[in-house]
Amino acid sequence: MRTLTQRGPFCRSCGIALCRDLSAKTLWQGWWGPISMIITPLVLIGNLVTRVRLGRLGGPVPGAPGTPATPGKPVFRRAAVLGLGIPVALAFAVGWSISSDPSYADVGACVSASGLSTDPFVNVVDCGDQSATYVVVGKIEDTTDDAQCERFSGAVAAYTEKDGSQELLLCLGANR
């Protein structure tokens, strides 16, 4: 992770050009570390605030040393904006995996299940889905004793999951 800062007297067009370039680099290069995933949005917000302030500066002064920079395309019209796809794709992947994880299933949720007796594979699905074979009729945490499903009417199968010290029992009833 590195931070780039540019200081100096800028005219409006030079400041906007620099801010757009640095923001585009941040969009493309800023996501590649665990801490950077948190810091990059904050940096981009800071760049946005700076861009607004730069817009209030005066234009280039004729006869000033150097040639004023051309601001170029806005950040969201540059190829670097594709860098936003990284956190969006990551958030989508995390959201999808959580939504289909049986440990997040509530009573009334439907699941598709295969291999319940040997090597179970259970996913939470929409109840209208063809693969929705069971509905969760009971959920008990801190146990994997499937005999406890007897207290839930309609329970025809059980799914247990153990992750470290956490245990989960889902009592499943037939869907449809």
Side-chain angles (χ1 to χ4, degrees):
M1 185 171 87
R2 67 180 193 181
T3 304
L4 300 175
T5 304
Q6 295 286 328
R7 300 198 186 281
F10 296 110
C11 66
R12 180 177 49 243
S13 60
C14 291
I16 290 172
L18 182 62
C19 187
R20 286 178 177 175
D21 287 342
L22 292 177
S23 293
K25 287 178 182 175
T26 301
L27 278 171
W28 187 247
Q29 300 170 351
W31 308 103
W32 302 107
I35 296 174
S36 297
M37 291 292 270
I38 297 167
I39 293 175
T40 297
L42 301 174
V43 169
L44 290 170
I45 290 169
N47 286 357
L48 184 61
V49 170
T50 300
R51 168 57 184 90
V52 169
R53 291 168 68 197
L54 289 169
R56 295 187 203 134
L57 291 176
V61 177
T67 305
T70 305
K73 293 180 183 178
V75 175
F76 286 102
R77 294 185 66 202
R78 297 178 184 211
V81 78
L82 296 175
L84 276 177
I86 296 165
V88 169
L90 185 62
F92 178 77
V94 168
W96 180 81
S97 71
I98 287 174
S99 71
S100 64
D101 187 348
S103 61
Y104 292 102
D106 290 325
V107 172
C110 292
V111 296
S112 71
S114 60
L116 279 179
S117 61
T118 56
D119 185 22
F121 181 75
V122 175
N123 268 334
V124 177
V125 295
D126 185 70
C127 287
D129 192 324
Q130 293 275 3
S131 65
T133 51
Y134 295 100
V135 62
V136 178
V137 294
K139 180 178 180 178
I140 306 170
E141 295 183 5
D142 300 326
T143 187
T144 56
D145 179 17
D146 57 356
Q148 294 191 28
C149 285
E150 293 173 4
R151 63 180 164 167
F152 297 104
S153 64
V156 295
Y159 168 75
T160 60
E161 183 176 276
K162 187 169 183 172
D163 185 20
S165 64
Q166 294 184 347
E167 297 177 332
L168 173 70
L169 170 65
L170 292 180
C171 301
L172 306 174
N175 187 27
R176 297 183 194 111

